[in-house]
């Protein structure tokens, strides 16, 4: 293992501390519109994506899917974090042969609140007798320096969407590639669990049955029992996933010989094989919307869907 001089350690610690203000800012997200009426849950539906606009209403039909949870938890290795709000939104192209293609919003399918990691850095990698890590641990009496936030981020387009699974239990509904961004002054700005090339693959399913309802509405979102649009409401289920594997942390602490990566992985039990990790999303609110009779507006179903969505923007 390379030796690090005291002067180098102190200089590096100063540089990492200076990154604190940047790291604490989190990830900015673009403003999303508010929509009227029954369109309200679909603020990020990619109705203007080429694949959605190209749907004709005969061989292909466009749909919007939104699934929201106000809170839950995620266990990675031997660390469990209580999560905040999680909002998944996707577009879906339903094909005549029963298959489907998922279309992601421009800013990614998932937007999630940052969660605080219990114990912060003290719990994540201290005590430690690893050179350099020991120096960090000595400075963590400052709560701001100790705090770690974890944010789930999309790193690719979801796949394997199964509309029927959303109504049933114990069937994966969709496969979602994500990574988890760990933020703390000492971790730098590029500390992740999972990467774009090696993401965490979540496959949530209903552990409890949701309530089921269908409604009709006009293109602008206003209620109408004979409207051109329909919405399926699947509410109140607990969604879980215990099937995903978790890779080790990488990019932490400016890549200094991988020491911080190693310390984080050692304490958290990463990488962690499938079956040792879990995700729970409480009281999920899932909605699926599309044209009630897309064939009636063929070959312009995608264009009509987009026009309807835009007419509901406040």
């Amino acid at each position: 293992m390379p030796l690090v001089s005291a002067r180098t350690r102190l200089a590096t610690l100063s540089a990492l501390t200076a990154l604190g203000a940047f790291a604490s800012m989190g990830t900015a997200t673009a403003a999303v519109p508010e929509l009227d009426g029954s369109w309200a849950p679909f603020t990020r539906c990619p109705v203007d994506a080429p694949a959605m606009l190209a749907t004709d209403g005969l061989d292909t039909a466009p749909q919007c899917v939104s699934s929201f949870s106000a809170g839950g938890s995620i266990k990675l290795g031997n660390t469990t974090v209580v999560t905040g709000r999680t909002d998944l939104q996707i577009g879906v192209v339903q094909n005549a042969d029963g298959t489907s293609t998922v279309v992601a919003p421009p800013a990614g399918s998932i937007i999630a609140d940052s969660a605080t990691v219990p114990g912060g850095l003290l719990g994540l990698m201290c005590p430690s007798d690893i050179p350099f890590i020991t120096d960090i641990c000595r400075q963590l009496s400052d709560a701001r320096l100790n705090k770690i936030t974890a944010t789930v981020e999309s790193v690719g387009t979801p796949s394997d969407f199964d509309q029927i699974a959303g109504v049933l239990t114990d069937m994966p509904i969709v496969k979602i590639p994500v990574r988890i961004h760990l933020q703390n002054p000492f971790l730098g700005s590029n500390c992740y669990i999972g990467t774009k090339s090696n993401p965490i693959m979540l496959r949530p399913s209903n552990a409890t049955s949701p309530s089921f309802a269908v409604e009709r509405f006009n293109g602008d979102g206003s209620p109408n029992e004979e409207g051109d649009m329909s919405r399926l409401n699947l509410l109140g289920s607990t969604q879980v996933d215990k099937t995903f594997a978790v890779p080790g942390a990488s990019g932490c602490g400016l890549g200094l010989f991988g020491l911080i990566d190693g310390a984080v992985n050692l304490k958290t039990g990463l990488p962690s094989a499938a079956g040792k990790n879990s995700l729970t999303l409480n009281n999920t609110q899932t909605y699926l919307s599309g044209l009630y009779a897309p064939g009636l507006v063929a070959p312009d179903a995608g264009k009509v869907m987009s026009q309807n969505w835009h007419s509901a923007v406040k």
Side-chain angles (χ1 to χ4, degrees), residues 86-169:
T86 302
D87 177 59
L88 169 71
Q89 294 195 39
I90 55 175
V92 175
V93 175
Q94 292 287 359
N95 303 311
D97 63 1
T99 62
S100 63
T101 303
V102 177
V103 182
S109 299
I110 287 183
I111 291 179
D113 284 350
S114 295
T116 299
V117 178
L121 275 185
L122 283 171
L124 202 63
M125 65 182 195
C126 304
S128 174
D129 58 1
I130 301 175
F132 179 74
I133 305 301
T134 303
D135 291 340
I136 292 178
C137 293
R138 290 182 183 135
Q139 299 192 32
L140 294 181
S141 58
D142 184 327
R144 186 185 68 85
L145 295 179
N146 184 48
K147 181 180 179 181
I148 295 178
T149 60
T151 308
V152 176
E153 299 179 356
S154 294
V155 290
T157 301
S159 60
D160 299 349
F161 174 72
D162 187 337
Q163 180 174 327
I164 300 301
V167 182
L168 304 177
T169 59

Side-chain angles (χ1 to χ4, degrees), residues 9-10 16 21 36 43 49 68 100 146 152 180 184 190 210 217 220 226 243 248 253 257 279 297 308:
R9 291 197 298 267
L10 290 174
L16 287 171
D36 282 322
T43 54
F68 174 83
S100 63
N146 184 48
V152 176
I180 297 175
N184 170 276
N190 295 300
F217 61 99
D220 64 0
E226 297 181 354
T243 66
F257 312 113
L279 169 72
V297 293
N308 287 350

Side-chain angles (χ1 to χ4, degrees), residues 71-92:
S73 64
I74 186 167
K75 179 179 180 290
L76 308 175
N78 53 32
T79 299
T80 299
V81 177
V82 175
T83 60
R85 296 174 297 177
T86 302
D87 177 59
L88 169 71
Q89 294 195 39
I90 55 175
V92 175

